[in-house]
Amino acid sequence: MVSYPSTALAMGEAIQHGKLDPIMLTRQCLAAAKESDAVFISLTPERAMFEAAAAARRQAQGASLGPLDGVPIAWKDLFDIAGAVTTAGSRVLTEKPAMYDATAVRHATAAGMVCLGKTNLTELAYSGLGLNPHYGTPHHTPGQGEPRVPGGSSSGSAVAVAKGIVPAAIGTDTAGSLRVPAAFNGLASYRPSQARHSRQGVTPLAHSLDTIGVIANSLEDCLAIDDVMRGEEVTTRERADPERTVIVLDTAYLDDERIEEGVRKNLERSAEQLINAGFHLIRRKLASVSDTLHLIQHHGWLGAAEAYTEYRELLESEAAEAMDPRVRQRLINAQKMAPDSIVTLYRQRRSLQAQLRHELAGATLLSPTVAHTAPLLAPLEDNPERFAEVNLATLRLSMVASLLDSPAIALPSGVDKNQQHTSIQLTAPCGEDEALMRVALAASDHLGFPAANQ
């Protein structure tokens, strides 16, 4: 098999210079996807080869559509792709093929990206662990140990990138569903502020919290593909000047016993690397973060109430018996949320957004992405109580940015003593995506870490 670059932008550059044939590349990616276990729910080979051939013609004619022309990409199976069924990881939703591409798919196609197919996910995108009893659970566990969870709900998207099937894949994030699988697989991801994208043609979970975004091997890929999904040209962003950039490390994370030793150690090491690069790093507690965590712990998760409302009719139908019982039970449990708690969550959300903006005052927040590394898969498959407990612990930290609609970027921070991936997260107030990108690009240049044994 011919080797090819691991990043989308490097692939695109090689195609533009005639060093990589998009037809051969797409054929190899399709073959790898077909051979993978539980990574994809469906493939679109005819469309992929048609788009690859069109990219090859444009390259030969010097008429490239941009830096991602001819590059394969995969889509979480929440996104409508014309002619393909959108399953949302379930066996009980519509079996009619979509009539049109989702807006993000249409825009990426217009930029020349090649649609490979649709990736696996937790049913209805409702879990941070990534298990799926209907289509199997993908994983790409480092080392020789027992399989570990892929992270969810964008499990297949992350594993497709980790296995090298595609350089980047698209997912969604409601409570951490981009950042968690990226963290568990040693990848980069970007959760945009919600208003940045159209979600037309994307199956919802919680309308007030859902976002769409990218999982990739590099932050540059995440941002470039985010540009084209919005129908914009790829922007080359200037990196922030470390000497003029303030990063706040919330010391509450360092004192939290729920943060695993390896995660904390690599967070501290990343902080030291940023200091050595000239960033101004301040260690202090942020009330907005602790207040958000307390609010969720006391009143529940807003996304649960919205997800129950979204799928109430399904839960009350006979088809509910065919659902993943773990997902069904989580949805049923949300029915018990008190109306005053739901109203309080909506009201406090806005004030906490303002509080975070005031506390950061132009700085960027540094935190762990997840408090622990990927848990072992087997103990969670047959123990619903343990599954629920670990799922909540997995999403606990990423829920903060989701509730506050903060743009957040997850970056690999190394591995722990068991060779499992750890991750850090950079966060900014709602709407400050471009400022966050510039800081994250500068930070990523200076964050070196040992890789896991793949």
Side-chain angles (χ1 to χ4, degrees):
M1 178 178 287
V2 178
S3 62
Y4 44 79
S6 63
T7 71
L9 287 169
M11 278 186 185
E13 184 176 10
I15 291 169
Q16 282 191 330
H17 289 89
K19 298 178 180 179
L20 183 61
D21 178 5
I23 297 175
M24 180 184 296
L25 171 63
T26 299
R27 191 175 287 126
Q28 286 191 200
C29 291
L30 282 169
K34 190 173 182 180
E35 293 171 4
S36 65
D37 182 22
V39 179
F40 284 80
I41 289 178
S42 63
L43 296 174
T44 54
E46 291 184 4
R47 173 171 176 160
M49 294 310 301
F50 177 84
E51 291 173 347
R57 288 194 298 272
R58 289 191 294 270
Q59 188 278 328
Q61 297 165 0
S64 172
L65 293 175
L68 295 169
D69 196 356
V71 175
I73 192 168
W75 299 85
K76 185 178 185 176
D77 199 2
L78 293 176
F79 289 78
D80 285 349
I81 293 174
V85 174
T86 302
T87 70
S90 176
R91 296 286 188 184
V92 299
L93 295 187
T94 177
E95 294 185 357
K96 293 181 180 179
M99 294 290 291
Y100 308 100
D101 286 346
T103 297
V105 177
R106 177 166 53 84
H107 285 160
T109 301
M113 299 202 77
V114 175
C115 175
L116 209 68
K118 308 183 81 172
T119 55
N120 200 354
L121 66 151
T122 307
E123 185 171 17
L124 306 182
Y126 200 32
S127 157
L129 298 177
L131 280 64
N132 189 308
H134 310 303
Y135 300 98
T137 300
H139 77 91
H140 188 58
T141 304
Q144 304 300 315
E146 292 294 313
R148 293 177 180 256
V149 304
S153 62
S154 307
S155 54
S157 292
V159 175
V161 178
K163 284 181 174 290
I165 300 171
V166 286
I170 307 305
T172 62
D173 191 310
T174 304
S177 289
L178 284 164
R179 292 161 287 153
V180 171
F184 286 171
N185 288 279
L187 303 169
S189 72
Y190 162 48
R191 178 219 181 272
S193 299
Q194 197 180 46
R196 193 171 173 87
H197 286 277
S198 165
R199 285 172 285 134
Q200 181 276 326
V202 183
T203 302
L205 178 64
H207 278 280
S208 296
L209 300 162
D210 293 344
T211 53
I212 69 174
V214 191
I215 299 175
N217 285 307
S218 76
L219 176 58
E220 288 84 353
D221 279 0
C222 290
L223 305 187
I225 295 170
D226 182 81
D227 285 337
V228 301
M229 285 201 301
R230 292 184 296 120
E232 303 288 341
E233 292 186 0
V234 174
T235 299
T236 301
R237 293 170 174 84
E238 183 178 351
R239 284 154 163 77
D241 180 359
E243 298 286 348
R244 302 175 64 182
T245 302
V246 178
I247 294 178
V248 176
L249 172 56
D250 192 334
T251 54
Y253 294 118
L254 304 177
D255 301 331
D256 190 340
E257 294 180 355
R258 288 166 287 193
I259 308 293
E260 283 184 356
E261 178 185 357
V263 174
R264 182 185 293 105
K265 179 180 178 182
N266 287 343
L267 173 66
E268 287 271 28
R269 186 166 51 79
S270 297
E272 288 303 315
Q273 289 175 330
L274 294 174
I275 292 171
N276 292 337
F279 289 88
H280 298 275
L281 192 129
I282 299 172
R283 298 170 184 262
R284 61 183 174 88
K285 292 184 179 181
L286 293 181
S288 52
V289 174
S290 59
D291 288 351
T292 302
L293 288 167
H294 181 266
L295 180 72
I296 296 169
Q297 182 178 3
H298 186 71
H299 289 282
W301 177 235
L302 183 58
E306 293 196 359
Y308 171 75
T309 303
E310 186 70 40
Y311 291 105
R312 180 176 178 177
E313 288 187 12
L314 173 60
L315 289 170
E316 294 174 349
S317 72
E318 292 183 2
E321 292 301 315
M323 293 176 64
D324 180 346
R326 294 165 296 216
V327 171
R328 185 177 67 241
Q329 190 58 52
R330 284 192 72 204
L331 288 167
I332 291 171
N333 290 344
Q335 185 180 9
K336 303 173 186 175
M337 287 184 68
D340 64 324
S341 285
I342 297 171
V343 172
T344 298
L345 286 163
Y346 281 120
R347 287 178 175 175
Q348 290 298 314
R349 184 186 193 193
R350 190 176 298 270
S351 64
L352 286 166
Q353 286 176 328
Q355 186 180 358
L356 177 66
R357 190 181 306 276
H358 175 74
E359 284 190 288
L360 285 177
T364 302
L365 173 62
L366 171 64
S367 68
T369 306
V370 188
H372 54 256
T373 56
L376 291 170
L377 174 59
L380 300 174
E381 290 185 303
D382 301 316
N383 188 331
E385 292 77 17
R386 178 62 179 160
F387 175 91
E389 176 187 342
V390 174
N391 183 63
L392 183 59
T394 299
L395 292 168
R396 177 175 172 269
L397 299 184
S398 58
M399 281 178 166
V400 174
S402 292
L403 187 64
L404 303 186
D405 193 18
S406 291
I409 288 171
L411 297 170
S413 62
V415 295
D416 70 357
K417 62 183 180 181
N418 297 315
Q419 294 297 294
Q420 300 305 308
H421 299 289
T422 65
S423 176
I424 57 169
Q425 179 176 269
L426 293 168
T427 309
C430 179
E432 296 186 12
D433 295 61
E434 290 293 333
L436 174 66
M437 291 175 186
R438 292 192 292 272
V439 171
L441 285 167
S444 65
D445 289 340
H446 300 285
L447 293 172
F449 49 86
N453 297 322
Q454 301 294 317

